Amino acid sequence: MQAKKRYLILLSAGTCLVLLFYFGGVQLPSSGRNRHDRSHNGYRPDQPWPHFSDPLQQFLLWDQPDTEEYNIHISPRQKRDVNTSVYKGKRCRMDSCFDFSACKRNDFKVYVYPQQKGEKISESYQNILSIVEGSRFYTTDPGQACLFILSLDTLDRDSLSPQYVHNLKTKVQNLHLWNNGRNHLIFNLYSGTWPDYTEDLGFDIGQAMLAKASISTEIFRPNFDVSIPLFSKEHPRTGGDRGYLKYNSIPPFRKYMLVFKGKRYLTGIGSDTRNALYHVHNQEDVVLLTTCKHGKDWQKHKDARCEKDNAEYDKYDYREMLHNSTFCLVPRGRRLGSFRFLEALQAACVPVMLSNGWELPFSEIINWNTAAVIGDERLLLQIPSTVRSIHQDKILALRQQTQFLWEAYFSSVEKIVLTTLEIIQDRVLQQESRSTLMWNSHPGGLFALPQYSAHLGDFPFYYATLGIKPYPKFTAVIHAVTPLVSQSQPILKLLVSVAKSQYCAQIIVLWNCDKPLPAKHRWPATSVPVIVIEGENKVMSSRFLPYETIVTDAVLSLDEDTVLSTTEVDFAFTVWQSFPERLVGYPARSHFWDSNKERWGYTSKWTNDYSMVLTGAAIYHRYYHFLYTNFLPASLKGMVDQLANCEDILMNFLVSAVTKLPPIKVTQKKQYKETMMGQVSLAPPHNLSLWIFRQTCMNKFASWFGGMPLVHSQMRLDPVLFKDQVSILRKKYRDIERL
């Protein structure tokens, strides 16, 4: 009897188990998939809470379907339908959807379609097109182009916006060079519309690359698309303001620890995170303010907290908060990106990102962990304790990096556009691409051109990082413009003095004179090689060409009438070795703002202030020859050549724009004021027309750079014991005082 009962129980249990398997009630584990997923998604039981700017760990990959609880506004099926219809080239990569052949034939050139009559173009998009057309990449010949940019305005693809361009699908397909978007770049700031704000552009982009703001990691095609920041129509076209970190305060704490002030969305996408900010707001050092007062019918949707939120919101000034906070919260809005991102960077307020799934701007090249705290919207309540745990040394490093990134890539529309083009160029010309260090350290990728060298040690900016020093010799380049008729001419005396320097490797005489080259026996015998080169087209800019005969890191630039002793040359070079990225020299000049004429002025008055060191007697790194020739536009160099002047001012503008630092003036003879660079040191009315030319040059240069890059300085470096009342025998550079 007992055996029969046991048999019936086993039979019942077996039947139930079979039925459960049949109807899917129980699923067997699948070869450790769950364990792999947890590890892949960043979960490790032994990993501590993230320190400093380490990203808050994600619970799921952004390219996996979101849970229904997290994303209630649009279903996964709707998302897939939208993405499939718009991004048919979702699998596009450079090797599958880009034609490299045109780039190899003609280098990296960009063609902009001619603007069509009757087509409206927003001011922002017109700025982008003008910047491309003014860049060194631009070509008017589509046959030479590697990349194509539409003249049709694609920036605002919100169908409710007045800037929305209708019938764009048909217009794009009718372009004779469209070729299904191959080798095309499309700029976009806004996509989708109420209520879901999907990333639908309203037309098939085919195989075109996207330079898009607020792009999600689900849509973003790595190493093909470029994520750009969301910027307003008021964002400066060129130049842009410097960052607001004027000095490094230690410890680097401000009045507030964490702040935010912005709209609160009562309904629709983007409302979840901002609606929850009041839980963290403490009215002391964590001030997170939102307002319901936006839109025409906000009162129809207002909730019980609106009145209190609005009242609290009006108590605080946004700018005052921004400039007095250590961290700035950057939550998503209707779209993933926000204007708060760039505002925080400029203010040296470390961004705390709360926008799950946002591909951060220029993520391909920028290491955002060094400049931001990357959080998770679902861990909002843990954000205050996380930022409080960051050490003050790390906070200072984060703030400094925000300033570098702002000034290098984000302070103007021009920098955003050029950074986008440089990223694509690096992909196309992989053998000449920039390293991560070049993108993420001073002076940034826009000023470190990989075409110059593939070796970081060849640039003047990375010596300290690499632990190396520049080559301990210099090449003197003497600019000659008058014929050699006498053996007592200043150029011959200069040549002898320079050749006696223990640091001189060779002397190059750049012959820009209309007369034929002098015979070899006319030049004095020296202990170092003297190479005479005829200037290309006999123009001023030829003195800054990157001649292959310059084999040293340092270049001593000299005018033919310069008067320098060997001791002065030695001392200047010794100083330069400590500042290899800057101009070091003797004759100094300055600039000033003329409020009456509302323009920049140029002066050679002897004061305790200067902002330029003239290249008639200056030492600098040879990389600046390459940058002068390949970075500056033909219009500025053409102006210099036409006036046969201002090349020294332009070089100072360039070096200061790169370094963000003033040149360095060294001890000089008092009589330099009258004899040194006589053609430019005479004040009006002795040479009024020349003075006007140089002031005109300064304003033209400042216009192209988008502002005044020159920096004033009051520092002069003298030899140790210079002018001290001690024996002359105790001084290394004793001859300088005797001059």
Side-chain angles (χ1 to χ4, degrees), residues 23 125 138 177-178 271 274 413 435 509 537 579 606 612 635 703 705:
F23 290 108
Y125 196 63
Y138 179 65
L177 297 172
W178 175 242
S271 59
R274 297 196 181 194
V413 178
S435 66
V509 178
N537 301 322
F579 305 95
W606 279 67
M612 290 176 280
S635 59
S703 175
F705 278 93

Side-chain angles (χ1 to χ4, degrees), residues 29-30 36 73 105 198 307 331 370 406 548:
S30 56
H36 170 75
H73 303 292
R105 289 194 307 268
T198 63
E307 296 297 336
T370 63
W406 164 259
E548 293 183 358

